[in-house]
Amino acid sequence: MIKFSDEKLKKVDEIVARYPQGKQKSALLPVLHLAQEEFGGWLSAETMDYVASLLKLEPIEVYEVATFYSMYNLKPVGRYMFEVCQTGPCMLRGSDQIIDYIKQKLNIGVGETTADGLFTLKTVECLGACGYAPMMQLGKHFREHLTPEKVDAIIDECRKNAAANN
């Protein structure tokens, strides 16, 4: 059964307390982030139902939010997620070629994860760093002015980190 640790439940209570009584739905985005972090990097239906019960919401209210935002994963993802911007400024600077290069290099399509579970490729809307295009988000960090060579270095870096932390 899905259940937050005591530490995370305390954090949920802190988040809900930020909002007026009866407005706990306002806590949904940060609580979904906690849930995704706590339960393997993605939100299963069971996890979303659990969040709904914590916030006294209907499950559909949680599903609507989780399916709308690209920052929530609705299926298991790799340890490293390449979220490549695909909006106009990045495309003008070659993001579609970078996406194709990553697909070829890792032998996966958009929305897929490598067989070893290390990498997932995702395309996203504007990440707000148009001056650094083409770019992607990797965890909490932006990787900017991407080229095939930079992508190769990022993949190598991720593989080395994974090997060192196993």
Side-chain angles (χ1 to χ4, degrees):
M1 180 179 152
I2 297 286
K3 186 172 177 2
F4 277 130
S5 64
D6 290 340
E7 176 186 327
K8 292 287 187 195
L9 277 173
K10 183 179 177 189
K11 183 71 175 164
V12 169
D13 290 342
E14 290 171 10
I15 292 168
V16 171
R18 296 177 192 163
Y19 303 99
Q21 187 74 15
K23 301 293 184 184
Q24 68 277 4
K25 187 173 184 179
S26 299
L28 184 53
L29 294 177
V31 173
L32 283 174
H33 280 296
L34 284 178
Q36 185 165 273
E37 178 183 299
E38 180 92 346
F39 304 119
W42 68 290
L43 301 171
S44 66
E46 183 182 7
T47 299
M48 289 185 280
D49 290 347
Y50 176 63
V51 168
S53 71
L54 286 175
L55 297 178
K56 298 174 181 65
L57 301 173
E58 291 298 320
I60 188 66
E61 294 177 278
V62 177
Y63 303 161
E64 289 170 339
V65 170
T67 59
F68 179 79
Y69 292 104
S70 64
M71 61 194 162
Y72 300 116
N73 304 308
L74 303 178
K75 63 182 185 179
V77 294
R79 186 169 179 178
Y80 301 100
M81 186 162 19
F82 291 175
E83 297 181 89
V84 183
C85 181
Q86 65 170 359
T87 49
C90 277
M91 288 188 98
L92 287 172
R93 299 284 310 270
S95 68
D96 43 354
Q97 288 91 3
I98 293 297
I99 292 165
D100 287 342
Y101 183 77
I102 294 169
K103 288 163 55 176
Q104 174 266 322
K105 181 79 177 178
L106 296 177
N107 196 31
I108 57 174
V110 173
E112 295 179 350
T113 300
T114 56
D116 61 7
L118 275 183
F119 301 99
T120 297
L121 175 60
K122 192 173 183 179
T123 55
V124 295
E125 295 307 313
C126 187
L127 292 168
C130 304
Y132 308 104
M135 57 88 58
M136 72 173 168
Q137 187 167 348
L138 176 59
K140 294 182 179 186
H141 304 281
F142 285 170
R143 299 300 182 100
E144 303 159 341
H145 301 292
L146 294 174
T147 63
E149 296 77 21
K150 285 185 179 182
V151 169
D152 288 343
I154 292 165
I155 291 169
D156 290 344
E157 174 189 331
C158 291
R159 286 194 170 126
K160 285 177 186 165
N161 285 340
N165 293 315
N166 270 344

